[in-house]
Amino acid sequence: MMSNQSNQKNQRNKNNRTTFQIIHGQVVTPIGIIMDGAVTVIDGIIRYVGSSSGAPTLNVDSATVIDAKGAYVLPGFIDIHVHGGMQEDFTDSTQDSLDTITRFHAGQGTTAMLATTMTTPRVVLDRVLEEVHIYKSKDMPYAQLEGIHLEGPFISPKWPGAQNPEHIVPPNKEWIDEWETKYPGLIKQVTFAPEREGAHDLIRYLRSKGIVAAAGHTDATYEEIMAAIEVGLHHSVHMFNAMTPLHHRKPGAAGAILSSPQISAEIIADGIHVHAAAISIIAKLKTAENFILITDAMSAAGLGDGEYMLGDLPVVVEGHVCTLKESPGTLAGSTLTMIRGFRYLVQQVGLSVEHASKMASGNPAKLLRIEPRTGSIETGKQADLLLVDQENLELQKVWIKGRLT
């Protein structure tokens, strides 16, 4: 039998793992950057945010103190649109593959994410929901799966992008209701074409359940997007990609999204899907609260050039450009990571570190309604933190719930 002294030592070691203090950093908070700032974490929870000179003394034996030496202290990134990485795809979810994907993206600064599916037969989606449900019931050791993003199968046959058109079906509220009944709260976002028959009923249902209703892979006109916004559409995926484009006489889905503050927009900031100048324009039109960085990363993320699968479609990757093997001009996800996307927003688009941080952390947290516990550096929130060097914005350390990954 273990002695009381050993029990106390083990408990202290356990607590020390998630008890630490960062000092002399540039701490990025919702109200600005604290120069020579400090963050105190006790048992995985942020207990102090302020100046280094005013930081409390930790009363826990052997607690770690990290000198940031002027590096940025950022909230962990939250990726709401990501399909996989390291040869694994969420559509082929197993417990081991979920570990592989979340471990890889945690190493790139992602502390929370949505398991994003593809347009596939329902039997495949049933299995993915079951696997993610089981995974979430355990202590997730890496990036936390907040739930599932269903990208399809309720999309437009005219704008399938890298989705398999054979599996596209009309919007089906009954499917979502069945899944919601079996796995309450697991589905966090559904992407669909809002111009299709049944879409408005689906939007109303999703909003009633607190699920993000997102336009994507859509042939909608400007007027059809605006009508969908009237009944509750409030988000859109991968801006400019797989949607009717902006034209000065026909604004299309892109024009409706850009001109409507009610709807938030995702961006793949890799310099491939959208030009830096176009991202800069969106950043001026959307408020600082409704523009969101995503990766749309596929199974090739973290690996080199070659042939991979996105759902059940073969993809060729050359120099970070992912295209369908059978349709070389069609982009098929990305190999982007959140730290690379964050760096691109600052270094190439010209956004401030605070603005890019909101896009990568605060805004997705608000969209998913998880901002009371994560998405920003504030007292009382869980310690999902990043240390990023000031000069090159290179990732140095990642903490998830106070645990160093």
Side-chain angles (χ1 to χ4, degrees), residues 36-79:
D36 192 21
V39 178
T40 301
V41 175
I42 299 176
D43 295 343
I45 302 297
I46 298 171
R47 296 302 182 190
Y48 172 84
V49 181
S51 67
S52 292
S53 61
T57 301
L58 291 177
N59 295 319
V60 181
D61 293 342
S62 304
T64 302
V65 177
I66 299 102
D67 187 344
K69 299 180 180 178
Y72 289 110
V73 184
L74 301 172
F77 301 141
I78 300 172
D79 193 354

Side-chain angles (χ1 to χ4, degrees), residues 81 83 117-119 151-168 191 193 195 216-219 237-238 240-244 268 273 296 298 310-315 322-334:
H81 192 153
H83 294 281
T117 63
M118 298 289 292
T119 293
E151 188 183 14
F154 315 134
I155 61 175
S156 169
K158 296 181 181 179
W159 294 86
Q163 308 266 4
N164 191 333
E166 293 181 7
H167 307 313
I168 294 174
T191 294
E195 74 277 7
H217 293 271
T218 172
D219 194 49
V237 302
H238 43 52
F240 289 128
N241 297 112
M243 65 175 64
T244 48
I268 308 170
H273 284 77
D296 201 13
M298 57 165 291
L310 180 57
D312 58 358
L313 296 178
V315 172
C322 311
T323 56
L324 289 180
K325 184 175 182 179
E326 302 303 322
S327 179
T330 301
L331 290 174
S334 82

Side-chain angles (χ1 to χ4, degrees), residues 344-387:
Y344 187 87
L345 289 174
V346 176
Q347 296 178 343
Q348 303 301 320
V349 179
L351 301 186
S352 68
V353 167
E354 297 118 296
H355 193 161
S357 177
K358 281 187 177 181
M359 290 177 60
S361 305
N363 294 349
K366 289 176 182 176
L367 185 72
L368 298 182
R369 302 182 181 183
I370 59 174
E371 78 276 13
R373 57 181 169 84
T374 191
S376 61
I377 301 178
E378 298 177 88
T379 57
K381 293 192 176 184
Q382 65 193 37
D384 298 329
L385 302 170
L386 309 177
L387 196 63

Side-chain angles (χ1 to χ4, degrees), residues 85-350:
M86 295 303 290
Q87 200 76 55
E88 301 290 349
D89 189 310
F90 281 123
T91 301
D92 303 315
S93 289
T94 65
Q95 298 304 291
D96 286 344
S97 69
L98 294 177
D99 263 350
T100 297
I101 296 170
T102 55
R103 179 171 54 239
F104 167 70
H105 285 287
Q108 305 300 311
T110 298
T111 56
M113 61 201 302
L114 293 185
T116 306
T117 63
M118 298 289 292
T119 293
T120 63
R122 173 163 178 177
V123 64
V124 176
L125 298 176
D126 286 337
R127 179 178 49 76
V128 175
L129 267 74
E130 180 180 10
E131 289 291 339
V132 174
H133 171 72
I134 294 170
Y135 194 76
K136 277 178 57 63
S137 70
K138 301 180 291 186
D139 180 24
M140 294 178 282
Y142 311 113
Q144 305 293 287
L145 287 184
E146 293 291 341
I148 285 179
H149 169 189
L150 296 174
E151 188 183 14
F154 315 134
I155 61 175
S156 169
K158 296 181 181 179
W159 294 86
Q163 308 266 4
N164 191 333
E166 293 181 7
H167 307 313
I168 294 174
V169 296
N172 193 318
K173 182 183 70 175
E174 286 69 30
W175 286 15
I176 306 297
D177 186 51
E178 289 172 22
W179 287 324
E180 178 68 13
T181 300
K182 189 172 183 179
Y183 308 111
L186 183 62
I187 298 173
K188 298 298 185 183
Q189 178 169 323
V190 179
T191 294
F192 56 94
E195 74 277 7
R196 301 200 70 191
E197 185 176 354
H200 285 200
D201 285 343
L202 177 61
I203 293 169
R204 294 185 185 97
Y205 176 83
L206 294 175
R207 295 308 303 270
S208 74
K209 296 295 183 179
I211 300 171
V212 175
H217 293 271
T218 172
D219 194 49
T221 63
Y222 172 88
E223 290 77 15
E224 286 169 330
I225 291 291
M226 298 306 292
I229 290 173
E230 286 294 316
V231 298
L233 183 74
H234 65 300
H235 186 61
S236 61
V237 302
H238 43 52
M239 188 67 206
F240 289 128
N241 297 112
M243 65 175 64
T244 48
L246 173 66
H247 184 276
H248 60 285
R249 286 191 294 272
K250 293 182 179 180
I257 294 163
L258 290 173
S259 63
S260 301
Q262 307 97 311
I263 189 167
S264 51
E266 299 173 356
I267 197 70
I268 308 170
D270 61 356
I272 298 167
H273 284 77
V274 182
H275 194 282
I279 298 177
S280 178
I281 291 169
I282 304 170
K284 291 179 174 66
L285 292 173
K286 307 305 286 184
T287 70
E289 308 299 325
N290 62 10
F291 198 20
I292 294 175
L293 173 66
I294 61 162
T295 64
D296 201 13
M298 57 165 291
S299 62
L303 303 172
D305 291 352
E307 293 191 12
Y308 301 89
M309 296 296 293
L310 180 57
D312 58 358
L313 296 178
V315 172
V316 175
V317 178
E318 293 183 4
H320 292 302
V321 180
C322 311
T323 56
L324 289 180
K325 184 175 182 179
E326 302 303 322
S327 179
T330 301
L331 290 174
S334 82
T335 61
L336 188 65
T337 61
M338 287 295 280
I339 184 61
R340 280 175 45 213
F342 173 84
R343 192 181 302 126
Y344 187 87
L345 289 174
V346 176
Q347 296 178 343
Q348 303 301 320
V349 179

